[in-house]
Amino acid sequence: MVRRVAVIGAGPGGLASVKCCLDEGLEPTCFERSEDIGGVWLYTDSTDDRRVSVYRSVITNTSKEMSCFSDFPFPEDFPSYLPHSLLLEYFRMYARQFDLLRHIRFKTTALSVRKRPDFATSGQWEVVTETDNVHESHVFDAVMVCTGHYQEPYLPLDSFPGIDTRFKGQYLHSQEYKDVEAFRGKRVLVVGIGNTGGDLSVELSHVAAKVFLSARSNTWVASRVSNHGFPVDMVSNTRFQHFLSWLLPSALIRRIKFQKFNSWFNHANYGLASTKSSKFKVIINEELPFCLLSGTVVLKPSVKEFTENSAVFEDGTTEENIDVVLFATGYVFPFPFLEESVRSLFDDNRSLYKRVFPPLEKPTLAIIGLVQLTGSIMVAAEIQARWVTAIFAGWNKLPPLSRMMAEILKKKPPVKRNPSERENLKMSFISYTDEIAACAGIKPSVLRLLLTDPRLALAIFFGPCTPYQYRLVGRGAWSGARDAILTQWQRTLKPLRTRVVDDDSSSSSSWLWMCLLALPVGLTAGFLLSKHPRPGWGPAQGL
């Protein structure tokens, strides 16, 4: 019987894990190597300890209503997209509300997590920690690893001939970047066009003499702001749109997405992406198109090699007098504290059952938050933690090891990819959260709600798939979930009401008409799914 649980890391996943342990009557002890909660969102000017943290100007890519803990909405006066300081304040409010801090040991590093000799029968772990150079050994019934996927910078210097032998300028990983001052007046090459590479290119363009952005892959650029001014994830991450993506052919869905991206600006004209490519990534950046249009950022292909003061690109062009090369090439997650016999079981998150459990004879080790979704990682981490702690407490069970292994092998890609490629982790937000919620027995049924609470059913199916939906039923149900769902748009608009103007248009009435017109589609969907269920869908899981 699991009782004592070690939680490694006090970021958002670790905080949710501690709370979920307490909700299930377990005894968590969280080990956090820094002096505060927040994980990567705990900003620091220093890079000496190699701790990964956000840069000074970062703003969240997912909105507050789509990113909150499911039973703890953000304050209504918080903006929809948050700087790191406000997000950290929210974490502290959450920790105070549920009395989590007394379960966290700060400035304590987990050095090793190893199976006990009797693991096959007990499932217990020996955890060795270090605090102020003093080592201490502990025995726990279970371990939840909440260190995420921003652990160690991935710096593939071997892929860039000359960077560490001929190039006389400076090079660094984005993990070392904090603000623009060190780059003022310099010619900077940013390598990598993920969200970080795009953000840093835009920010540096305000002070650098010139910024070049090297992109290897087709990249579509999206804005946080939807056509009507709402947070884009609240408009796009709905069960209705998710159902249409399931219903329509994938080629048609891809074409619709490309047309949507190109309705903002033609990506081919900017050299970013082509509609003919089947492999692509999507980044969030409102300013990058204008920087490219104004020439303050210049897009380049992959780097072929470096000379003493220049970069040679795959298309044969050369940019001279490069002062700094900034690698935005992502991170790897080696979990150095796990013993090799455990670490070798998973080389990426696809080797974990449901992206959570390594295939062990006793399911007492869980990896929380090692997923990259088309939505908030915080939401997924909390749902994972609720499922995991319910298993530890004996309320849920996992299938036999052989069945778990079969599912892992079925979903594992045949070719090992570049460790920094986020596509290796990326999954549909609603698909994944619904999958874990169904395992935990906390996924709502839209069809059942349609009979008992039509207003709520319509809000769930046509409105944003906010985390409160997973507090309506099952263990941990929250009495405030219904109200939180029905008032989510008010909390979104509240921070904008600093100057009120008269407007006769009624967005709420138009939204209601849209729901009523689309209702037959939802009813037809429920009928079709009950007669012809497809994987991941059906009456057992709800729409």
Side-chain angles (χ1 to χ4, degrees), residues 1-6 26-29 138-143:
M1 182 67 181
V2 170
R3 177 61 56 186
R4 300 184 67 240
V5 181
L26 306 175
E27 300 172 4
T29 301
H138 321 258
V139 175
F140 288 96
D141 301 314
V143 177

Side-chain angles (χ1 to χ4, degrees), residues 105-138:
R105 293 181 54 176
F106 292 107
K107 296 184 179 180
T108 301
T109 302
L111 298 179
S112 70
V113 176
R114 297 181 177 276
K115 296 178 183 177
R116 295 268 291 166
D118 61 348
F119 179 83
T121 55
S122 70
Q124 290 183 327
W125 299 85
E126 181 181 7
V127 178
V128 177
T129 61
E130 179 184 16
T131 308
D132 295 329
N133 296 319
V134 176
H135 291 199
E136 188 176 356
S137 180
H138 321 258

